[in-house]
Amino acid sequence: MDAPAVWARGHLPDGDGRTVAIDVNGLALDCLVPADDAPVEGATSFGLLSASLSACTAMSVRTFLRRWDVPGCAVTVEVSFEAGPPPVLHRRVVLAADLDADARRQLAAVVDSTPVTVLLRDALVIVTHLDVGTGATAG
């Protein structure tokens, strides 16, 4: 049987440890189990979920720009998590490209239909803001 193209493994050792060792397709990183009384530092499960949405969105925007023959420009996708109810992911897509109204509508449709967006949208709210144009800057 062929190995899966995408895989992840998490290991939390016995005891009261708060660090889960994560292996994603061979990339190792640690994920912290947040303590109720401590500020969050480092990657958490919701941070990794936000990162998945951010990365998927950025890749989909890059594909869109190539299909529309838009000259290369930086793409930044910022995602933050807000505990609910309902839980909300706030997504801001920033690209310094001049797009006409039709291209902006197409971009919005692409962003709202990325694979990770489709997987998540029935479980939580995703609020998206597109910041497009030559004056757009990431926060």
Side-chain angles (χ1 to χ4, degrees):
M1 176 185 278
D2 291 334
V6 178
W7 56 270
R9 180 181 306 114
H11 176 72
L12 180 63
D14 286 344
D16 61 357
R18 293 185 41 236
T19 302
V20 179
I22 304 289
D23 185 346
V24 181
N25 283 18
L27 174 68
L29 65 135
D30 290 334
C31 181
L32 302 177
V33 177
D36 291 335
D37 59 349
V40 176
E41 294 182 15
T44 65
S45 56
F46 286 115
L48 294 174
L49 184 69
S50 299
S52 295
L53 180 62
S54 178
C56 183
T57 302
M59 289 183 272
S60 294
V61 169
R62 175 66 67 208
T63 300
F64 167 84
L65 293 172
R66 288 185 177 150
R67 285 187 182 150
W68 277 75
D69 292 324
V70 175
C73 69
V75 176
T76 302
V77 181
E78 301 166 349
V79 177
S80 61
F81 177 79
E82 179 183 325
V88 178
L89 286 172
H90 295 274
R91 171 174 53 185
R92 180 173 175 242
V93 180
V94 180
L95 61 143
D98 290 322
L99 301 177
D100 63 28
D102 185 42
R104 285 177 187 246
R105 280 191 296 277
Q106 293 290 330
L107 175 62
V110 165
V111 167
D112 285 339
S113 64
T114 69
V116 173
T117 301
V118 170
L119 288 170
L120 294 177
R121 69 177 165 212
D122 289 337
L124 46 76
V125 175
I126 301 172
V127 177
T128 302
H129 175 77
L130 297 178
D131 192 355
V132 180
T134 53
T137 58

